């Protein structure tokens, strides 16, 4: 109760944000108030102050994860292909043969 009271009155976190931090902790299977406090501090550093800010940040992270997964899949596909050396013909090389 003391910790939650400090979050509300000293740190001025809105109850909605505390509940979201609690949800985040439970989803990560971390059941301590200290973990929730670290989430709240992290969000404060990132200037996350509302539920909408949390949703935007989570969506940004999902998009980044999807982009990384797509990039890794492309790299894997390219790694399976044989390397074919290419010779870049230039106009200077054509003049030498004349």
């Amino acid at each position: 109760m003391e910790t939650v009271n400090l979050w509300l009155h000293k740190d001025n976190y809105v109850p909605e944000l505390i509940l979201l931090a609690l949800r985040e902790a439970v989803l990560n299977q971390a059941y301590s108030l200290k973990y929730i406090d670290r989430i709240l501090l992290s969000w404060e550093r990132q200037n996350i102050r509302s539920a909408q800010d949390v949703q935007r940040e989570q969506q940004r992270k999902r998009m980044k994860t999807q982009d990384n997964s797509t990039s890794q899949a492309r790299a894997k596909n390219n790694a399976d292909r044989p390397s074919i050396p290419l010779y870049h013909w230039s106009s200077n090389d054509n003049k030498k043969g004349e």
Side-chain angles (χ1 to χ4, degrees):
M1 288 296 289
E2 227 176 275
T3 302
V4 174
N5 195 27
L6 287 172
W7 289 336
L8 290 169
H9 301 290
K10 182 180 178 237
D11 299 327
N12 297 318
Y13 295 126
V14 293
E16 181 179 49
L17 203 60
I18 296 170
L19 288 174
L20 288 170
L22 172 62
R23 181 179 185 276
E24 185 78 18
V26 170
L27 290 174
N28 287 303
Q29 298 179 351
Y31 306 109
S32 73
L33 291 176
K34 192 170 193 168
Y35 191 86
I36 297 169
D37 190 54
R38 294 295 162 211
I39 292 171
L40 290 167
L41 285 172
S42 172
W43 288 348
E44 185 176 340
R45 283 188 211 112
Q46 296 174 43
N47 203 27
I48 295 173
R49 307 260 186 243
S50 68
Q52 293 83 10
D53 293 341
V54 171
Q55 288 174 343
R56 274 192 292 266
E57 181 62 20
Q58 289 173 341
Q59 186 175 6
R60 187 189 66 77
K61 284 182 180 179
R62 266 185 292 210
M63 294 296 287
K64 186 176 178 182
T65 301
Q66 286 175 351
D67 289 346
N68 287 343
S69 297
T70 304
S71 296
Q72 289 173 354
R74 285 184 189 145
K76 184 180 184 289
N77 287 339
N78 288 338
D80 294 341
R81 297 180 185 164
S83 175
I84 301 172
L86 298 175
Y87 183 77
H88 296 285
W89 297 91
S90 69
S91 59
N92 291 339
D93 289 341
N94 290 335
K95 290 180 183 177
K96 288 181 185 176
E98 293 177 1

